[in-house]
């Protein structure tokens, strides 16, 4: 046998084996009705809010925050009376002037603690009422400006939409353009 005859030998055996086997059943490639695909998807969206505390265990309870606000009330009112702080349009305190000496840093620390407690209560109220935080801030701003004593600094809507300006509570925002006319007597 030559080499070319030996190389044909496996092909001959393969043909014999295939002819000895039964024929495979036909596999249908079509279906009587279209394939039904059921696709279920779940999409979870999480939004990080930068004003929320990162450490949930460090967050204080609402009752504790309310108590701290009450304890700080006299100090904050003194700052308002001295016109060092004012109520801004977000329902928070804003430092308008920092006094010299040791009282400046102490005042800034008190204002920061006050704003932290106010924000905590506003976030909680927004979450409980399922409303956006900016709505709660606007409510608090309106409430605090209505309750402001005469002479305290408050932020009020400006001339253009979305702008704000500072004024003292009890002062007119838009003085009349012309003084009212005084009635004159006419003699017959």
């Amino acid at each position: 046998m030559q080499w070319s005859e030996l190389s044909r030998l496996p092909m001959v055996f393969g043909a014999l084996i295939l002819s000895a086997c039964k024929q495979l059943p036909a596999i249908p490639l079509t279906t009587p009705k279209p394939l039904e695909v059921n696709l279920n998807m779940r999409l979870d969206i999480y939004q990080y809010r930068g004003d929320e505390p990162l450490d949930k265990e460090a967050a204080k309870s609402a009752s504790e925050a309310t108590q701290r606000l009450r304890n700080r009330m006299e100090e904050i009112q003194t700052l308002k009376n001295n016109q060092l702080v004012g109520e801004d349009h977000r329902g928070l305190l804003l430092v308008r002037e920092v006094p010299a000496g040791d009282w400046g840093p102490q005042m800034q620390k008190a204002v920061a603690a006050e704003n932290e407690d106010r924000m905590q209560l506003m976030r909680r109220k927004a979450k409980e009422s399922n409303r956006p935080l900016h709505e709660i801030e606007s409510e608090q701003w309106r409430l605090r400006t209505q309750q402001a004593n005469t002479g305290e600094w408050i932020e009020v809507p400006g001339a253009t939409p979305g702008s704000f300006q500072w004024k003292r509570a009890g002062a007119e925002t838009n003085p009349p353009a012309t003084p009212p006319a005084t009635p004159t007597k006419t003699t017959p």
Side-chain angles (χ1 to χ4, degrees), residues 34-106:
L35 291 177
E36 188 176 312
V37 178
N38 187 0
L39 179 64
N40 291 325
M41 185 186 308
R42 179 178 167 178
L43 176 64
D44 294 327
I45 299 174
Y46 298 97
Q47 182 178 0
Y48 169 72
R49 296 173 56 184
D51 60 348
E52 287 186 5
L54 296 176
D55 185 11
K56 296 294 182 185
E57 292 178 15
K60 301 145 192 142
S61 72
S63 62
E64 290 173 345
T66 304
Q67 186 61 42
R68 284 191 303 274
L69 287 172
R70 285 186 187 136
N71 293 342
R72 208 181 296 116
M73 198 179 298
E74 183 181 354
E75 181 181 5
I76 296 301
Q77 190 59 50
T78 302
L79 296 174
K80 288 181 179 182
N81 292 343
N82 290 325
Q83 298 162 358
L84 298 173
V85 297
E87 295 285 348
D88 73 3
H89 68 278
R90 292 181 55 212
L92 301 174
L93 286 178
L94 180 81
V95 176
R96 295 190 42 85
E97 184 180 334
V98 179
D102 293 337
W103 201 36
Q106 178 184 349

Side-chain angles (χ1 to χ4, degrees), residues 3 5 11 14 23 25 38 65 98 109 116 128 141 150 154 156 175:
W3 177 254
E5 290 177 8
M11 289 189 346
Q23 190 169 353
N38 187 0
V98 179
K109 186 177 177 181
E116 182 180 332
E128 287 174 353
W141 167 52
T150 303
I154 57 173
V156 296

